[in-house]
Amino acid sequence: MRRVLPLLLAALPLCAQGAALGARVQAVIPMGDLRDLTNGQTGVGAGVFVEIPIGDAFRLRPTVGGQFYPKKTSASVSGAEVTVSSVDFMLDALWFPGESTDQGPYLVGGVGGQMWRVSPSGGTATSHTRLGVSGGIGYQFTSHLGLEARAFWSPIEPSLTATGLSLGGVVWF
């Protein structure tokens, strides 16, 4: 958090140019290799962002966030309990096809770096920084409240890929 606070403070001058600070909280449903690793345990995610208007229908959203899957007996690591987490540095792009960017549906896509950490109980934790991508749809109910559904993909190791779905709320300050 000590590193995030200076970034947010540095972004405050953007507010004068129409940028907005915000936060996202989400439930994360693992699929594929990540589902096997976490034994299907639902995770949580959160992030903070600065949303910058680019033209009438586009927004850029640099985001700092993370995901966390609680300790669960793994189906793929011979019965060991495993905790999986990530720290994410993403750049999202939003496109509002309607006439308003304060209310209505939008498409969202993101790309950036994700630092994954896999921690088996009684074993050695591993960390890998990899490319992550996501995409989905959102709906902005008011100028301060929205909902997003996304799919994500990121390789953790050559034999382990993180894929899944997330559903969460977005708040603009």
Side-chain angles (χ1 to χ4, degrees), residues 36-37 73-82:
D36 293 340
L37 186 64
T73 302
S74 176
S76 64
V77 185
S78 56
E81 289 187 336
V82 175

Side-chain angles (χ1 to χ4, degrees), residues 50-110:
V50 176
E51 193 169 279
I52 305 163
I54 306 292
D56 291 336
F58 293 96
R59 302 281 187 260
L60 288 180
R61 187 192 285 171
T63 304
V64 176
Q67 300 177 41
F68 177 76
Y69 300 86
K71 189 177 288 190
K72 189 72 172 181
T73 302
S74 176
S76 64
V77 185
S78 56
E81 289 187 336
V82 175
T83 302
V84 179
S85 60
S86 75
V87 175
D88 311 330
F89 299 95
M90 305 294 282
L91 178 61
D92 294 340
L94 289 76
W95 174 61
F96 291 81
E99 295 179 14
S100 173
T101 57
D102 288 335
Q103 187 175 6
Y106 59 90
L107 297 176
V108 60

